[in-house]
Amino acid sequence: MFDLSTRDIQFLSGVGPQRAVLLNKELQIYSLHDLLYYFPYKYIDRSHIYHIAEIDGNMPYIQLKGKIQRFETLGEGKQRRLIAYLADGTGTIELIWFQGIKYVINKYKLSQEYIVFGKPSIYNNKVNIAHPDIDNVSDVVLSSMGMQPYYNTTEKMKRNFLNSHAIEKMMSIVIKQLQEPLLETLSAKIIADYHLMSLTEALRNIHFPKNPDLLRRAQYRLKFEELFYIQLTILRYSKDRQQKYKGYVFTTIGNIFHTFYSQHLPFQLTNAQKRVLKEIRKDTGSGRQMNRLLQGDVGSGKTLVALMCMLIALDNGYQACMIAPTEILAHQHYETVKSLLEGMNIRVELLTGSIRGKKRKAILSALSAKEIHLLIGTHAVIEDTVNFPALGLVVIDEQHRFGVAQRARLWNKSIQPPHVLVMTATPIPRTLAMTIYGDLDVSVIDELPPGRKPVNTIHQFDSRKESLYRFIRQQITEGRQIYIVYPLIRESEKIDLKNLEEGFVRICEEFPDVNVCKVHGKMKTSDKDEQMRLFVSGEARIMVATTVIEVGVNVPNASVMVVENAERFGLSQLHQLRGRVGRGAEQSYCVLVTNYKLAEETRKRLEIMVRTNDGFEIAEADLKLRGPGDLEGTQQSGIPFDLKIANLARDSQLLQQVRGIAQAIVDADPMNTNPENEILWERLKALRKTNVNWSSIS
Ligand code: ADP
Ligand code: MG
């Protein structure tokens, strides 16, 4: 069989050393295999040429063949446009350009035959095609060709005549050489069961499809495969782990839990909280190690659920710990948990980087002696130095960056891995959750505690500062507190930002009678904590801050979140920030301040924020706007997100289907012994070598 990955691209006819370097550097194409997996970004249907007489305004992209009779320019300034009259013997149609007029007139000659491609539309009762693609007839091999592929190339490549047509020519040589079938990458059973094209056919048709239907089938096969192996990797890994480790069994719900539930719980649990507790109970009682993601919008009461789970661990004789991403949050959790457990005989301690010396030593030794039941801290600290003799449950708060590898580090703390509960308020679209957190079970708190009023979100332009300040003053008079958030300070960037420092001065001038505090990431921890304390205690009424306050901070009396330069924030960040208010009984507000000129995408982001408070809707929108590669968490997840052909935003159905297929295979073949699946396990091995080293993790 053919192994294309060992064939250097340099030796393909028409390439040679110079072009090979360009292909290496610009597109990371080194071998024939790499070239074959460089897929077109669009196709033009060359299979049919229409007559001008048949055209109406309702057609998709079509192709014509004809000669330009004459050019005409009309209008002035922005109205200026070029019209070329194209005739083919059956009629005449207008081709229109609004830009590049001079270029077009110079490039195309009268009375020469061209192939014109574009989408007809109707203007002033006449059919025309705006900004068509035009090719010389000799460049286009008609009829035999079906759909013509177009490949992205870089400016540098184009300057060296390595344009889409050049790639196409190289590709056609490789494809013609593919006489033998390529080594198949899916099992015969999968190919048969799901009516997939063979790999060889799929690659042939992804580049040179004879018709749109064959193209669709080729795309389907390749997307299927791409998503399938991601899921198979994750699920295989998760199965291996299950087989290797048992989970601690929390058999009882005992005194500690019951005492808390009946005497300390200050409110009724929501139904969603109850449901999630049940799900966790089931996991921790099953003998399997729990790896569960708890998603719930900001303020939905995840901390309480986590605490109750930790109490179950204690009831069964284990220790538990909760890990927060920042010191501020760890501190806040510590205070919350301590006050909730007041009067119960449970020892809770806080451990962060700033707790040193004797105090630290005392905590560490009390932990090893099992005298401390609950430890709350920041994750670096807990990962590195702590020895838990009986760690039964780890709760990781507000971390959507906590991938498989980090979780695995925690397991090394005891012979048997503890149960792990990861909590996040950043809703993750289902498809991403299945990939980043593919080995986790997911619980969702989809209900806010009663009495919460949805935050009212307003978009306001810079120029209306006076009314904003009036509003802030009014809220302060009513006893509320205000956050004003600026984008991160980056001194190196010369962007014209009213940065936090200027903002702080301005706010102090504007509100001379109000106590204003300030928090940013470059401050010393002790200063930061002091400023936070001022705000939490209510001594300071306004907090000017960067996004350090983004996650978790809980000040129910704060009712206004002002986000300056809101155009600089991503959707999930804006949603997180908004979640800092609306935690008390009062109506809260989020004011997104931007300047007047906004990019289209920014405008869409702000519209979504104003329209909805639903974190999941926002996450889906974010995925569509930005694509999965840019979303937080994907980089750290250890999963390759530079998908070649599948798209997590568009192919979610297929993703769910292949996940089911992969799951069934892993369940039916737990030890990788079924010969029917040999191809799959071999392929998995090869992929593991190039991607993440999953096996070393477990
Ligand atoms: P999250 O971590 O999910 O953003 P928290 O756990 O910080 O949310 O809870 C937000 C606030 O809601 C806290 O003040 C908490 O005490 C309160 N809370 C949690 N559960 C309930 C409930 N069932 N009823 C009323 N208030 C609740
Ligand atoms: Mg929280």
Side-chain angles (χ1 to χ4, degrees):
M1 298 229 184
F2 248 34
D3 184 5
L4 293 170
S5 56
T6 57
R7 303 268 201 101
D8 194 328
I9 190 75
Q10 188 185 152
F11 304 115
L12 183 67
S13 103
V15 177
Q18 273 174 1
R19 287 184 146 194
V21 169
L22 270 177
L23 288 166
N24 296 170
K25 288 220 172 104
E26 300 293 301
L27 302 180
Q28 283 75 54
I29 292 175
Y30 294 89
S31 66
L32 296 192
H33 176 273
D34 297 339
L35 181 68
L36 213 48
Y37 277 83
Y38 191 66
F39 300 146
Y41 70 94
K42 72 166 184 186
Y43 304 83
I44 289 183
D45 187 350
R46 298 294 190 193
S47 61
H48 185 77
I49 288 184
Y50 284 82
H51 293 306
I52 291 175
E54 342 170 41
I55 293 178
D56 61 46
N58 299 320
M59 292 175 145
Y61 282 83
I62 53 145
Q63 185 173 241
L64 301 168
K65 183 157 85 172
K67 292 177 182 170
I68 296 172
Q69 306 290 338
R70 65 189 171 91
F71 287 108
E72 184 179 10
T73 45
L74 292 175
E76 290 298 326
K78 277 193 174 162
Q79 302 286 315
R80 194 167 137 85
R81 60 199 186 274
L82 171 70
I83 299 180
Y85 294 89
L86 184 87
D88 69 352
T90 72
T92 307
I93 187 170
E94 295 183 1
L95 311 177
I96 301 185
W97 287 266
F98 300 95
Q99 273 140 32
I101 292 178
K102 218 164 145 189
Y103 173 83
V104 173
I105 295 184
N106 287 332
K107 176 154 186 188
Y108 301 113
K109 304 191 173 47
L110 297 185
S111 301
Q112 180 170 328
E113 197 152 55
Y114 290 112
I115 302 284
V116 172
F117 178 84
K119 177 161 174 23
S121 53
I122 295 187
Y123 184 75
N124 271 350
N125 284 327
K126 278 191 281 187
V127 182
N128 67 51
I129 299 180
H131 286 248
D133 284 348
I134 299 186
D135 285 307
N136 291 328
V137 172
S138 57
D139 280 349
V140 180
V141 187
L142 289 170
S143 69
S144 73
M145 192 146 152
M147 319 269 293
Q148 185 182 11
Y150 279 74
Y151 300 90
N152 278 317
T153 58
T154 63
E155 280 311 311
K156 204 164 172 189
M157 292 173 68
K158 287 191 186 101
R159 263 182 269 129
N160 289 279
F161 305 103
L162 257 179
N163 56 12
S164 175
H165 283 309
I167 304 257
E168 183 189 340
K169 270 185 198 137
M170 290 158 44
M171 204 69 80
S172 75
I173 297 172
V174 177
I175 294 279
K176 275 194 200 104
Q177 288 176 357
L178 288 185
Q179 283 137 4
E180 288 176 87
L182 295 167
L183 205 57
E184 185 50 69
T185 44
L186 287 171
S187 67
K189 180 166 166 43
I190 289 185
I191 289 175
D193 284 357
Y194 302 99
H195 311 287
L196 301 176
M197 266 183 177
S198 73
L199 179 64
T200 313
E201 274 309 290
L203 286 173
R204 216 189 281 280
N205 279 289
I206 199 73
H207 293 291
F208 301 107
K210 284 273 189 296
N211 59 52
D213 189 49
L214 286 171
L215 173 60
R216 256 193 305 277
R217 292 195 54 211
Q219 286 170 327
Y220 185 80
R221 144 86 207 210
L222 295 166
K223 284 179 182 184
F224 184 109
E225 172 167 355
E226 194 168 39
L227 296 173
F228 174 78
Y229 276 108
I230 290 180
Q231 291 304 319
L232 193 67
T233 305
I234 294 168
L235 295 171
R236 179 74 260 172
Y237 164 73
S238 157
K239 186 77 169 186
D240 290 350
R241 193 189 58 211
Q242 264 176 41
Q243 289 173 347
K244 191 163 160 188
Y245 299 116
K246 292 233 176 332
Y248 294 120
V249 186
F250 296 173
T251 44
T252 50
I253 288 197
N255 246 334
I256 300 177
F257 185 94
H258 286 306
T259 308
F260 178 79
Y261 194 79
S262 55
Q263 293 166 29
H264 291 250
L265 190 60
F267 30 62
Q268 284 262 312
L269 292 181
T270 62
N271 286 330
Q273 283 172 318
K274 284 185 197 160
R275 190 189 62 236
V276 169
L277 263 176
K278 265 192 209 131
E279 286 166 356
I280 294 171
R281 271 280 292 149
K282 207 167 152 206
D283 275 4
T284 53
S286 71
R288 271 196 326 126
Q289 184 228 354
M290 174 175 78
N291 274 281
R292 190 167 277 280
L293 173 68
L294 175 53
Q295 286 199 66
D297 225 330
V298 280
S300 60
K302 296 184 293 294
T303 315
L304 194 70
V305 169
L307 175 61
M308 294 175 77
C309 296
M310 296 199 288
L311 297 183
I312 297 176
L314 303 196
D315 265 335
N316 287 275
Y318 295 99
Q319 296 169 296
C321 80
M322 184 188 264
I323 301 181
T326 64
E327 295 220 356
I328 293 176
L329 268 181
H331 208 96
Q332 204 169 54
H333 280 321
Y334 175 68
E335 296 294 338
T336 310
V337 168
K338 252 181 77 136
S339 76
L340 282 167
L341 298 182
E342 179 99 52
M344 290 177 70
N345 192 17
I346 297 172
R347 182 158 169 203
V348 187
E349 290 292 346
L350 174 70
L351 188 65
T352 65
S354 51
I355 292 166
R356 301 206 185 91
K358 263 197 205 139
K359 196 165 170 203
R360 181 184 194 86
K361 262 207 184 127
I363 290 177
L364 291 179
S365 75
L367 263 174
S368 341
K370 287 176 64 173
E371 286 158 12
I372 293 175
H373 308 107
L374 269 180
L375 184 71
I376 295 173
T378 42
H379 73 78
V381 175
I382 291 184
E383 277 176 40
D384 295 346
T385 51
V386 180
N387 170 29
F388 283 98
L391 183 60
L393 170 68
V394 178
V395 175
I396 298 155
D397 189 28
E398 302 293 1
Q399 272 292 6
H400 49 304
R401 301 184 188 89
F402 213 76
V404 177
Q406 286 100 323
R407 266 177 271 141
R409 289 243 289 281
L410 283 172
W411 303 338
N412 299 333
K413 294 226 162 279
S414 37
I415 305 155
Q416 218 170 285
H419 296 298
V420 177
L421 183 67
V422 181
M423 305 199 290
T424 179
T426 306
I428 305 166
R430 276 178 57 78
T431 51
L432 268 191
M434 270 195 275
T435 357
I436 302 176
Y437 290 122
D439 66 322
L440 297 185
D441 300 308
V442 179
S443 287
V444 181
I445 302 186
D446 50 4
E447 181 187 357
L448 292 180
R452 295 276 170 80
K453 293 195 183 73
V455 179
N456 196 343
T457 304
I458 302 146
H459 173 205
Q460 200 164 63
F461 292 118
D462 266 348
S463 47
R464 309 215 32 223
K465 271 282 154 64
E466 292 315 315
S467 75
L468 177 61
Y469 291 149
R470 264 202 307 280
F471 175 65
I472 290 177
R473 182 167 296 285
Q474 178 207 330
Q475 288 282 311
I476 291 177
T477 314
E478 287 176 22
R480 306 281 100 73
Q481 288 168 278
I482 318 290
Y483 293 104
I484 301 179
V485 173
Y486 286 85
L488 279 178
I489 308 174
R490 276 195 229 125
E491 295 91 328
S492 57
E493 278 180 25
K494 272 203 201 154
I495 301 171
D496 182 23
L497 277 179
K498 315 160 284 339
N499 69 27
L500 176 127
E501 296 293 345
E502 283 173 28
F504 178 70
V505 171
R506 175 142 185 218
I507 291 295
C508 291
E509 284 168 7
E510 196 70 38
F511 299 93
D513 50 331
V514 174
N515 206 345
V516 184
C517 65
K518 179 173 75 175
V519 177
H520 61 78
K522 296 233 161 73
M523 286 164 84
K524 278 208 307 233
T525 309
S526 54
D527 294 346
K528 213 163 31 184
D529 286 351
E530 172 57 14
Q531 295 288 308
M532 278 305 295
R533 194 196 59 74
L534 284 174
F535 194 67
V536 173
S537 69
E539 285 164 63
R541 312 303 294 176
I542 300 179
M543 171 186 278
V544 177
T546 57
T547 42
V548 288
I549 62 152
E550 193 182 320
V551 283
V553 175
N554 190 23
V555 181
N557 190 48
S559 66
V560 182
M561 167 62 66
V562 178
V563 184
E564 294 278 352
N565 296 105
E567 68 272 16
R568 301 250 329 244
F569 293 86
L571 266 177
S572 73
Q573 252 185 331
L574 288 174
H575 182 64
Q576 275 285 348
L577 286 168
R578 179 166 60 185
R580 296 307 107 216
V581 296
R583 307 186 139 235
E586 305 303 326
Q587 176 64 55
S588 293
Y589 303 87
C590 174
V591 186
L592 305 173
V593 182
T594 69
N595 59 23
Y596 202 72
K597 269 195 171 166
L598 292 177
E600 176 70 12
E601 201 207 288
T602 314
R603 217 173 37 70
K604 277 193 188 140
R605 275 208 304 272
L606 298 170
E607 271 170 25
I608 291 163
M609 286 299 295
V610 170
R611 188 184 71 228
T612 181
N613 277 302
D614 180 335
F616 282 93
E617 195 180 333
I618 289 170
E620 295 286 351
D622 205 17
L623 179 61
K624 288 212 175 79
L625 281 177
R626 290 201 289 166
D630 290 335
L631 291 192
E632 287 166 81
T634 53
Q635 310 306 337
Q636 293 86 348
S637 65
I639 292 163
F641 273 86
D642 51 339
L643 298 181
K644 278 190 159 43
I645 186 161
N647 176 313
L648 291 180
R650 281 197 299 269
D651 300 318
S652 60
Q653 243 182 335
L654 180 59
L655 178 65
Q656 289 190 41
Q657 191 199 357
V658 299
R659 183 176 172 86
I661 297 166
Q663 183 74 64
I665 289 172
V666 168
D667 287 344
D669 188 9
M671 308 306 287
N672 300 4
T673 44
N674 187 344
E676 196 176 82
N677 298 328
E678 197 183 333
I679 277 188
L680 306 181
W681 307 131
E682 285 302 314
R683 178 93 184 128
L684 209 57
K685 255 195 238 160
L687 288 174
R688 279 181 184 179
K689 265 187 222 144
T690 51
N691 299 335
V692 192
N693 194 349
W694 296 79
S695 52
S696 78
I697 291 169
S698 54

